[in-house]
Amino acid sequence: MASIRKINCVWGLIFLSLIFVGESQNSNQFVETRNTQFVLNGSTFVFNGFNAYWMMMVAASDKSQRSKVSNVLAQASAAGLKVCRTIAFGEGNIPLALQPSPGVYNENVFEGLDFVVSEAGKYNIKLMISLVNNFKELGGKLQYVQWARDAGVKIKNPDDFYTNAVIRGYYKNHVKKVLTRVNTITKIAYKDDPIIMAWQLMNEPRSAPQYAKSLHKWIEEMAAYVKSIDNKHLLSIGMEGFYGEETPDRKQYNPGNYTSGTEFVKNHLVKEIDFATMHVYPDRWLSTKIETERTRFLQRWIDIHFNDSMTIVKKPLILGEFGRVIVGNDVKYRDSFLTEVYSYIYAHAKNSRGGMAGSLVWQLMSEGMESYSDGYQIVLSQNPSTTKIMRDESTRMVALEQRVAKPN
Ligand SMILES: *[C@@H]1O[C@H](CO)[C@@H](O)[C@H](O)[C@H]1NC(C)=O
Ligand SMILES: *[C@@H]1O[C@H](CO)[C@@H](O)[C@H](O)[C@H]1NC(C)=O
Ligand SMILES: *[C@@H]1O[C@H](CO)[C@@H](O)[C@H](O)[C@H]1NC(C)=O
């Protein structure tokens, strides 16, 4: 007995060390959350990152275009960026639609997304992937509603998106289709691929104010649905962070009289939602205001979301989108805006050991993408001053990472 136990013990040690070696060499682990922090490979995960919504479409447009995706990932990696937010949607009669009609998918576009996921793996850049657009660009919520109308379903208004059974069915079908997709390049199902950090239910969900409760119920239903298919990945809503009627004392922090139907606190308290997001566009949201007022707004906006995420929601927070249009070719104002945002993000990250976990600038592009330009595009290879600001933020954010104790 004793000797058998000893032998078992030796085999156990060998087995454990194999696991340990396997784990420490595996760059592909899932990002998790613990309390108000992201955790990856035994450390808090604190990062700088970027948006690049166009990746799937550019990769699908023509194989010769795929180098644009690779170039941006390579340049981002060199600047220390660790997270990329992109999309897995595109509906209706648009060029390069992922889903031209309900439940019908364009395999070529899906293969574009396969390429993006596979390539992100090469550069070890984690992906945050949004599943539908609130806005009409690339189809979005309104296209889903139109599909239901076309099928003879009686629709009263666009916010029926959140309540109508047929439309909720279309959306769930899409979720399932994307999450269970097996990547044709890596052969890994998306739901099993650790290079994906998180799903987002919707890009910037909004509703008319009287539909706020419907939007909340939709978040509850769809969050549970996503987790029923995939409980390895983190999930977020994808919201901009507006406060609603449930927190009247917080409405003063909204830009002007925004009535968006979202409830930053209540929506993020939904059990299956793993972290909170906010977006900020002072130049667009406060277009009539002077610079000092925009700065004051920006600081308060980041502060209040940070406070609420750490103390009430008790989940990590990211700034999922922010940016500033460049004037002509002059990046001066944008550079100072980025510097300012990064300093707030870093200060909060430091004070919360990575509870404020990072920010994703809108947005990186490659050279030769003028047709996708929206005024916010940053081409790292052409904007050395911006690249330096972003690289510096990456370096100091990553330096905040700390080992965490193993949970029991
Ligand atoms: C994971 O953590 C271990 C221990 O700190 C480290 O040796 C290894 O390089 C890390 N792996 C990655 C991919 O960061
Ligand atoms: C909000 O709306 C009220 C009533 O229309 C108006 O008096 C107030 O000035 C608005 N506030 C802002 C910040 O736009
Ligand atoms: C956030 O919390 C800190 C510390 O309690 C407080 O000083 C600050 O005023 C709060 N920020 C906002 C915008 O309420």
Side-chain angles (χ1 to χ4, degrees), residues 250 253 299-301 303-307:
R250 291 292 190 263
Y253 296 95
Q299 187 161 14
R300 276 162 47 93
W301 182 252
D303 270 8
I304 195 68
H305 288 89
F306 173 73
N307 286 4

Side-chain angles (χ1 to χ4, degrees), residues 97-113:
L98 177 61
Q99 187 181 190
S101 50
V104 176
Y105 287 79
N106 185 338
E107 176 58 23
N108 175 50
V109 178
F110 243 141
E111 285 174 13
L113 188 58

Side-chain angles (χ1 to χ4, degrees), residues 257-277:
N257 286 334
Y258 261 66
T259 47
S260 66
T262 62
E263 297 281 355
F264 178 77
V265 172
K266 181 183 170 188
N267 295 162
H268 280 122
L269 281 170
V270 170
K271 180 167 99 266
E272 292 85 359
I273 298 299
D274 297 297
F275 61 96
T277 65

Side-chain angles (χ1 to χ4, degrees), residues 169-197:
Y170 291 157
Y171 175 81
K172 284 183 174 173
N173 183 62
H174 178 66
V175 166
K176 187 169 190 179
K177 189 82 185 179
V178 173
L179 273 50
T180 59
R181 164 85 178 175
V182 178
N183 191 314
T184 53
I185 301 166
T186 64
K187 314 294 179 203
I188 302 171
Y190 287 5
K191 70 185 178 62
D192 297 323
D193 194 336
I195 202 63
I196 296 169
M197 172 177 177

Side-chain angles (χ1 to χ4, degrees), residues 23-24 26-27 41 403:
E23 196 177 61
S24 63
N26 185 2
S27 65
N41 186 31
R403 299 293 297 169

Side-chain angles (χ1 to χ4, degrees), residues 254-257 289:
N254 286 344
N257 286 334
K289 297 281 161 55

